[in-house]
Amino acid sequence: MINMNELYEKSDLNIDAAEKLYNHCLYDSVCHPAYYSCLQLMGHKLIKKGMSLSDQASLCSTKYFGHSHKCLIEETCKRLKFDKCRDEQDYRNGVKQLKEKRESSDYKEERISREASEACIKLAKEIRQKLNSI
């Protein structure tokens, strides 16, 4: 069983891994840990708000029909404080872009450029910063 500190540490490890991969020109591999660093931080933040991993799994199963990523994204978004409506849209778009890049890097026959991998790290850091405001 993962406790919330381990999930937080895994999140930090994944963003560090993304940066190391980028620094070693392994651009195709950057998007995956950048994206998962955000998901792990989302899970951690939900635990801090009183939603155990078991509760998260149950909610994902019932309300989100097993779509765990969508569950984490939606449930953390509900708990974020946005100054303007546009801020929420920017956050959602950032998460969507990062997820799409991760899916491209993992499942499609396309290469990820240096610029795209750098953008993934930047997006992940912005998302993580917003999550840390919960």
Side-chain angles (χ1 to χ4, degrees):
M1 177 177 195
I2 296 175
N3 72 40
M4 70 177 178
N5 291 331
E6 288 172 349
L7 207 49
Y8 185 82
E9 288 173 18
K10 284 184 172 195
S11 173
D12 283 349
L13 288 171
N14 266 315
I15 196 65
D16 290 346
E19 290 176 326
K20 285 181 170 91
L21 290 164
Y22 175 84
N23 290 334
H24 284 89
C25 303
L26 299 168
Y27 306 127
D28 291 313
S29 300
V30 168
C31 303
H32 185 93
Y35 175 70
Y36 278 94
S37 75
C38 295
L39 282 184
Q40 289 163 329
L41 187 55
M42 289 175 194
H44 166 76
K45 291 298 182 173
L46 290 175
I47 291 170
K48 286 192 67 132
K49 289 291 183 177
M51 187 184 292
S52 70
L53 284 176
S54 175
D55 292 341
Q56 291 176 40
S58 179
L59 184 64
C60 289
S61 177
T62 57
K63 185 175 179 183
Y64 295 95
F65 306 103
H67 298 283
S68 59
H69 295 202
K70 183 176 182 174
C71 177
L72 288 170
I73 293 164
E74 291 299 319
E75 292 302 315
T76 53
C77 199
K78 288 178 186 177
R79 289 157 176 81
L80 290 171
K81 292 177 178 68
F82 296 101
D83 295 329
K84 299 176 237 167
C85 184
R86 183 73 190 152
D87 292 341
E88 180 176 354
Q89 191 60 42
D90 289 345
Y91 175 81
R92 286 182 181 277
N93 286 340
V95 173
K96 181 181 177 191
Q97 289 172 25
L98 188 56
K99 183 179 182 186
E100 288 171 354
K101 232 4 136 181
R102 194 276 306 175
E103 288 172 347
S104 291
S105 72
D106 285 354
Y107 304 118
K108 294 185 180 169
E109 289 189 37
E110 66 182 62
R111 303 304 304 257
I112 304 300
S113 68
R114 180 182 66 79
E115 294 81 13
S117 66
E118 184 177 31
C120 285
I121 292 171
K122 182 178 185 259
L123 264 176
K125 286 183 175 184
E126 289 170 3
I127 293 163
R128 289 167 52 83
Q129 183 178 3
K130 189 62 181 171
L131 287 166
N132 278 320
S133 74
I134 294 179

